[in-house]
Amino acid sequence: MGKEVGRFLFYTFSLSWSLWGSLAILTQFNLLKFGTTLSILMFILGGIAPGISEIWLKKKYSSREEFKLFIRNVKILDIH
């Protein structure tokens, strides 16, 4: 279980920090204005990095059946 958590944290932080870091650098050097479509897209993608990372890791390290079950469970909205 430790390997899986480590992979998840590595990919999540790498993706989110690279997107947000790039956004911070680009806006500080006035190469990109915050509020534009590209900057908002980078900001949102950095925020959903945990979900992106988990889907990618499940696809890469799980069997096809496990991945299909995972996606099916994500799609089902069960509100009680």
Side-chain angles (χ1 to χ4, degrees):
M1 187 58 91
K3 258 184 171 179
E4 295 165 352
V5 172
R7 281 186 195 133
F8 172 74
L9 290 174
F10 173 77
Y11 286 111
T12 297
F13 286 122
S14 297
L15 182 58
S16 65
W17 288 356
S18 63
L19 285 164
W20 289 339
S22 299
L23 179 60
I25 291 169
L26 290 171
T27 56
Q28 287 300 310
F29 288 114
N30 293 323
L31 299 172
L32 183 66
K33 184 174 175 148
F34 191 77
T36 61
T37 304
L38 180 59
S39 66
I40 296 300
L41 182 63
M42 290 173 71
F43 184 74
I44 290 171
L45 287 175
I48 61 172
I52 294 168
S53 298
E54 183 60 27
I55 291 170
W56 184 75
L57 287 169
K58 281 286 186 188
K59 178 75 174 167
K60 185 173 180 176
Y61 292 106
S62 295
S63 68
R64 185 177 177 132
E65 292 79 24
E66 288 175 331
F67 180 71
K68 283 184 176 183
L69 181 63
F70 173 74
I71 295 299
R72 193 175 315 127
N73 286 335
V74 169
K75 287 181 183 178
I76 296 172
L77 181 61
D78 189 18
I79 300 174
H80 291 311

